Amino acid sequence: VGNGLRVAFLQFLKNGQTGEIASLEKLGVTVYSPKRGKFLWDMDAAEREEAQKQQEKTLAQARLFAKDYDLLVLDEAIAAMD
């Protein structure tokens, strides 16, 4: 991506089927996105608890990516930690 940097884009609140993913991948960005069927606001309490576990896994993945990428984009990470 820009100036030869390695970029990873990690989604926290979306369902992995958003419009920006295809564009980012075409640019050479590595995208890590959970593959859940619903957005968080459509989930019941049990589903939100499971989503929280997934968000923790996404944050752990970000830590791993930090070693190999020049830029990490943590899409909606602050809201996910609420």
Side-chain angles (χ1 to χ4, degrees), residues 11-44:
Q11 289 188 318
F12 283 81
L13 296 181
K14 297 176 182 165
N15 66 0
Q17 301 173 357
T18 57
E20 67 265 38
I21 291 177
S23 297
L24 290 167
E25 288 175 338
K26 283 182 184 178
L27 291 170
V29 173
T30 299
V31 176
Y32 181 87
S33 183
K35 305 296 184 212
R36 49 178 121 76
K38 297 180 182 178
F39 285 100
L40 285 176
W41 49 85
D42 293 328
M43 294 180 182
D44 62 29

Side-chain angles (χ1 to χ4, degrees), residues 10 32 50 52-62:
L10 296 95
Y32 181 87
E50 185 60 35
Q52 177 64 35
K53 291 176 186 175
Q54 178 60 49
Q55 291 165 353
E56 291 168 4
K57 289 178 186 176
T58 301
L59 188 56
Q61 186 64 50

